[in-house]
Amino acid sequence: MAFPWGALVTTTLLFLVAFSFPYVHSADENIGKYNKKGDLRKHRPRFKPTVWKQAHATFYEGGSETFGGACGYEDVVKDGYGLDTTALSSVLFKDGQTCGACYEIKCVKSGEGCKAGKSSILVTATNLCPPNYNEPGDNGGWCNPPREHFDLAKPAYLKIAEYKAGIVPIQYRRVPCQKKGGIRFTITGNPYFNLVSVWNVGGAGEITQVLVKGDQKVKNWTNLKRNWGQKWESDEMLVGETLSFRVKASDGRYTTSLRIAPKNWKFGQTFVGKNFP
């Protein structure tokens, strides 16, 4: 009986083809997607600037400890954001999801309060500009829905516009956030309620999901719930656990920080994880 060489060649070719194509998967699948370091395989491109859009900008007074109010940033200077920050109208703020996002803003009409020769500034979203329904949207109620509006921290506003103008026309776009060092996780609360502040996030800047797991009782990845801004809550007993965190950004990318909080961690401590490039 002759050896079936044709069948052998066909089988070999099918085997090689099957293992030649990369494994494609969605961002929400969780099985078999991790490399040896615990990171989800890089399946999405880096965050890129969006198209330019039209809006208006005003400014508000404050300081480093107040410019991060609605996002939960305790001190925007100490947290690495500086004073080039902005409050967003509710349409852009999205109930706190946009906290940490970065924008490029340029004043577009020099005759309407824009400073001549000033190209653009980069700002981080750290606060909410609440609606004022007692005023019309085009005369005082600048942050009323459906307006896309930027209420810049005064130091940032004065880089591109004249103080006396009060409100100026701008163009804006989302840009990647360039951060030094890793993502920070600050844990506060008590043994029965944990509040995790997530800050210094690169890439898209804004995060849509945070997961945590320990090494004893909480061995599976567990979702944290957004409490407000970029503060995330859990009622799991995390005390005494060596903690790992996984963060999902709004562009669908994940980053995983394994065992960054030791077993004897204390409330109020900050831990450094892996950032988005």
Side-chain angles (χ1 to χ4, degrees):
M1 179 178 179
F3 191 87
W5 290 104
L8 176 61
V9 171
T10 301
T11 302
T12 303
L13 288 174
L14 289 173
F15 179 84
L16 291 174
V17 168
F19 282 90
S20 296
F21 290 100
Y23 181 57
V24 180
H25 56 278
S26 71
D28 294 326
E29 292 176 328
N30 290 320
I31 301 175
K33 311 297 186 296
Y34 303 98
N35 59 28
K36 293 180 180 180
K37 295 182 179 180
D39 273 339
L40 275 167
R41 296 169 187 164
K42 300 300 185 292
H43 56 284
R44 289 178 180 268
R46 295 186 179 187
F47 186 83
K48 295 181 179 180
T50 61
V51 298
W52 289 98
K53 299 180 68 176
Q54 306 292 327
H56 284 81
T58 49
F59 71 89
Y60 71 111
E61 306 275 356
S64 64
E65 295 182 354
T66 58
F67 286 146
C71 289
Y73 302 130
E74 303 294 336
D75 187 313
V76 293
V77 173
K78 291 182 179 178
D79 290 351
Y81 298 108
L83 295 178
D84 287 345
T85 62
T86 185
L88 302 176
S89 61
S90 57
V91 171
L92 293 172
F93 190 70
K94 298 179 183 178
D95 294 324
Q97 177 182 312
T98 317
C99 289
C102 297
Y103 294 88
E104 183 177 6
I105 293 177
K106 55 185 178 182
C107 206
V108 293
K109 294 182 180 180
S110 57
E112 297 185 26
C114 298
K115 288 185 176 179
K118 299 294 182 182
S119 56
S120 65
I121 58 171
L122 299 177
V123 297
T124 304
T126 60
N127 212 346
L128 167 68
C129 179
N132 179 7
Y133 294 114
N134 293 321
E135 302 289 346
D138 59 352
N139 187 20
W142 310 121
C143 292
N144 293 352
R147 294 177 65 92
E148 296 185 348
H149 187 85
F150 293 79
D151 198 20
L152 296 168
K154 185 179 177 181
Y157 176 89
L158 292 178
K159 289 183 177 181
I160 58 170
E162 301 291 347
Y163 175 84
K164 62 182 180 181
I167 181 170
V168 292
I170 62 167
Q171 289 182 335
Y172 78 91
R173 64 176 179 171
R174 285 280 303 277
V175 294
C177 296
Q178 305 295 330
K179 299 300 178 184
K180 294 181 180 180
I183 296 177
R184 267 60 167 185
F185 302 87
T186 302
I187 309 174
T188 57
N190 59 62
Y192 307 99
F193 179 80
N194 306 276
L195 198 60
V196 181
S197 300
V198 186
W199 48 285
N200 199 57
V201 180
E206 57 177 333
I207 54 178
T208 58
Q209 186 182 32
V210 180
L211 302 95
V212 65
K213 77 171 181 177
D215 60 344
Q216 295 184 30
K217 296 180 180 180
V218 189
K219 292 186 176 181
N220 297 319
W221 287 109
T222 303
N223 273 299
L224 276 66
K225 178 183 177 182
R226 189 189 301 274
N227 185 288
W228 59 285
Q230 290 299 6
K231 289 184 178 288
W232 298 75
E233 67 176 74
S234 172
D235 56 6
E236 296 282 351
M237 290 287 290
L238 301 179
V239 174
E241 300 267 358
T242 300
L243 300 180
S244 301
F245 290 94
R246 175 166 292 147
V247 171
K248 180 183 178 183
S250 60
D251 61 355
R253 291 195 300 160
Y254 289 82
T255 182
T256 303
S257 304
L258 297 177
R259 298 178 293 278
I260 60 171
K263 193 180 299 292
N264 61 345
W265 64 266
K266 304 293 183 184
F267 288 106
Q269 285 186 285
T270 297
F271 305 98
V272 182
K274 184 179 295 185
N275 216 332
F276 296 98

